[in-house]
Every structure is written in C-alpha cells, then in structure tokens.
Amino acid sequence: MARERVVSAQSEPPEAEAANHALRPLRMAEYVGQPRLRERLQIALEAVRGRSEPMEHVLLHGPPGLGKTTLAHVIANEMATRAHVTSGPALTRAGDLVGMLSRLEERDVLFIDEIHRLPAAVEEYIYPAMEDFKIDFTVESGQHARTVTLGVKPFTLIGATTRPGLLTHALRTRFGIAQHVSFYDEAELQAILGRAATMLVMARPTADALAVIAARSRGTPRVALRLLRRVRDFAEVRCGGRFDRSTVDEALALEGVDAMGLDELDRAYLRTLGTVYGGGPAGIEAIAASMGEDGGTLEDVVEPFLLQIGFVARTRQGRCVTQTGATHCGVACGVMPAAEPAPDSARLFED
C-alpha cells in the first residue's frame, strides 16, 4: 500500500479533489500568484473576446499542484464557455478523442492533463483538429478503405504537463501560448489560505497561523489547502475551534511536517544518505533498497523538493546530502575516503 503523504503535490482522490474544486477561483481577477502568466493570459483573452474568436491553444507546464487545471477553468469562464476535462492516459484510442471533440461547442475549452502521456496513435489525430478544426480518420481497411473528414467547431486546447521534455516537437509547436507555472511565495500562499478559510466557514485563523502553514507548503497551493483542512479538523476536535499558531504547530507535528515542510519520508531519505552512505555519493536504487522504498517514488516524489531547497545535490557519481540538509536532520555525515592519487608514470618502469 502506498504511503499517504500530506505534503504530496500529487492529485488527490476524487472526493478531496471535489473539495478543492469548490475553493478554486472562477475569474482571473480572483487568481492569486503567477503575475506574469496572468498578465499574458489576460491580454490574450481580451484580444480574442474583442474578435469573438477562440483563444489560441495553451500549453501549461510545471510541477504538480500549482493550479494548471484551475487556470483552464478560469480561461473557460473568462470566455463564457465550458471546460471539458480529460487526461492523456484516458484517451487510449482515436475514438475517445473523436468523441470528446464532437461534443465541443464553439470556443469551448478542452483540457488534457498529463498530455505528455497521450498515445502516439491518438496524437496524430489531434494535429489537424488543432490547426484546421477537422479530423481525418480511415474507415474499413484494404482496398475498401476510405478517409472520412469530420469537422469540429473552433475550440481551445489547453494541455498541462509536468514533463514538457517528453512532448513531441510536432505537438509542442502547435501551441500558440506555452507558459511555465512556477512555485508560489509565502505571501501568495497566505492569500490563498485566507480566501479558502473564508469559503470554508471555519474559525477565523490568525495571520501568523496562516503564515506558518504557508511556510510549510513547499510553494504549492494544493499542499497548502490540504494542510489547512488537516489543521481545521485538529482545531475543531482538540482545541475547541481555536486556530492560532500553537494549534498549527501541534497539528502539523502530529502529521510529521516540520518547519521546512519535510515529512518523515523526506527525513528518512536524508538520514539514509547521511548515515548509511556517509553523505554520498550514492545511487538512487541503493538508497531505495536501504529504505525499502521504490526508486521511482523517491526520484519523482521525494527528491525534487530536496533538490529545490538545496538539501541534496546530484552529481555524476550519485546523490549527496549537503551540509544544510545534514544539519537539518541532525546527522553527522562521515567523510568519504579520498581517491588515491594516480601513480607517477615515471615510476611504473623502475626496477
């Protein structure tokens, strides 16, 4: 069974995602953070509304949990249209894509999450749909095969990906707008938390309480909202509804989230690298074997944040814990033995 992580930025179960959906901003004016991205999208939206045209196709790339899906819904609301949501792995056949496109009304938004996982056979059908608003598909086979062209109404495709490098060049160049969604600073997260606390009709949290949650949210709104819900439950059950800094400290201590936003899995990774491997370098599979975890999980879920805050460094030889990472976890890294100097070539031939 996968370990539940309250600080994970990965998608949550449908019921939790439904709770997040109710907290999402509906208009660009309500959207907090990403100022440069918002300005560019606002200009594009105002321009296409004036011409009564669909917006250019948009590619949003960046780490999970930063609001790419929310932006797709905001764009649809600004265009006064509907957002149709699917994902790359869900579109397994060309017929799945044709069914989605045939249901779109003019200027609707089709949002494809994890678009880098779109099968190649399906991706080929999306090219003419993006450029010419039509789909060419073959019916029957052999000498009776014929091509049928199906027109689709002008629409906007919004693709989201956490790994833009996996997109094919042909698909990437068909997006008129490609923007990176970056991490949020603590002030932006605090504003998001304040808005969410009001909408959740909960005991009014103090400013310093929200500041503590924001500081431990890894720059990710999804994590911040998850921590807010956990602290809210703790405040109602254990603290009589009191929502101050001490309540936050107690609730997050129970969840195992420290002042830097690290949980037990993060700290176990640092301790293993610092003690078992003397601070490194060590390969990811060796670290995973020592921890009893999956190497892919550590590489995709644990390492990115540790690299971002400078607690771990990647080298050609493997992973190394930095001095700040070792100090945070209270491990004294052993000194790796120095490589022996190369022998003097002149002495190799001495008798």
Side-chain angles (χ1 to χ4, degrees):
M1 181 181 296
R3 181 184 305 190
E4 181 189 10
R5 302 185 70 216
V6 70
V7 293
S8 172
Q10 302 300 319
S11 297
E12 299 178 283
E15 59 275 10
E17 283 296 323
N20 279 344
H21 184 76
L23 301 176
R24 286 174 178 165
L26 301 178
R27 296 288 178 180
M28 199 66 74
E30 302 172 357
Y31 195 94
V32 177
Q34 314 294 335
R36 295 177 64 85
L37 172 57
R38 280 191 293 114
E39 184 178 6
R40 291 166 182 164
L41 291 177
Q42 283 175 327
I43 292 172
L45 284 166
E46 187 172 343
V48 297
R49 281 199 301 259
R51 297 192 299 264
S52 298
E53 295 176 355
M55 190 171 175
E56 285 188 276
H57 304 302
V58 180
L59 176 64
L60 301 172
H61 52 89
L66 298 184
K68 296 184 288 293
T69 305
T70 299
L71 272 173
H73 285 279
V74 167
I75 290 172
N77 289 334
E78 292 286 350
M79 295 288 293
T81 58
R82 295 176 57 196
H84 304 257
V85 180
T86 185
S87 66
L91 300 173
T92 57
R93 301 172 301 156
D96 299 329
L97 177 64
V98 172
M100 291 287 297
L101 293 174
S102 63
R103 291 195 295 270
L104 297 179
E105 297 295 330
E106 188 169 351
R107 301 200 301 164
D108 271 3
V109 169
L110 174 61
F111 176 71
I112 303 181
D113 197 12
E114 296 184 276
I115 195 170
H116 63 274
R117 296 178 62 187
L118 203 63
V122 178
E123 186 176 314
E124 292 178 0
Y125 283 89
I126 210 168
Y127 298 155
M130 294 175 71
E131 292 184 324
D132 305 317
F133 301 115
K134 67 178 184 179
I135 304 174
D136 298 321
F137 59 94
T138 304
V139 296
E140 300 185 15
S141 60
Q143 62 180 351
H144 301 291
R146 65 184 190 277
T147 301
V148 176
T149 300
L150 174 67
V152 297
K153 296 176 181 177
F155 71 100
T156 297
L157 173 64
I158 300 180
T161 177
T162 57
R163 307 183 71 180
L166 296 183
L167 290 177
T168 62
H169 178 74
L171 179 58
R172 188 165 53 247
T173 55
R174 283 172 167 80
F175 287 97
I177 300 174
Q179 294 292 330
H180 178 71
V181 185
S182 55
F183 288 102
Y184 291 65
D185 61 35
E186 292 182 15
E188 292 168 342
L189 289 173
Q190 194 168 345
I192 292 171
L193 289 168
R195 177 179 179 274
T198 301
M199 297 180 69
L200 288 172
V201 193
M202 53 191 288
R204 185 170 182 81
T206 61
D208 58 342
L210 294 182
V212 172
I213 297 177
R216 303 187 188 192
S217 298
R218 299 173 175 243
T220 306
R222 180 178 290 160
V223 174
L225 294 175
R226 186 182 295 137
L227 294 179
L228 179 68
R229 293 197 301 269
R230 297 293 177 90
V231 176
R232 175 195 60 180
D233 294 345
F234 185 89
E236 292 176 353
V237 174
R238 294 285 181 87
C239 301
R242 188 185 77 255
F243 201 130
D244 55 16
R245 178 164 187 160
S246 63
T247 301
V248 173
D249 288 337
E250 291 178 39
L252 297 188
L254 183 64
E255 297 290 344
V257 180
D258 64 22
M260 289 295 296
L262 304 187
D263 67 356
E264 182 52 39
L265 186 58
D266 297 315
R267 293 189 293 272
Y269 177 99
L270 291 172
R271 285 195 301 267
T272 301
L273 185 53
T275 57
V276 178
Y277 297 99
I284 187 64
E285 293 301 331
I287 299 171
S290 298
M291 295 176 60
E293 295 284 347
D294 175 65
T297 299
L298 296 182
E299 190 168 16
D300 295 337
V301 177
V302 176
E303 284 189 340
F305 183 65
L306 297 178
L307 290 166
Q308 177 196 339
I309 61 176
F311 278 14
V312 171
R314 278 184 182 177
T315 67
R316 282 186 172 184
Q317 292 76 28
R319 278 70 171 170
C320 297
V321 62
T322 64
Q323 187 58 53
T324 53
T327 301
H328 180 78
C329 281
V331 295
C333 298
V335 179
M336 297 295 290
E340 294 184 3
D344 188 346
S345 59
R347 296 181 179 178
L348 290 177
F349 303 98
E350 290 182 357
D351 293 331

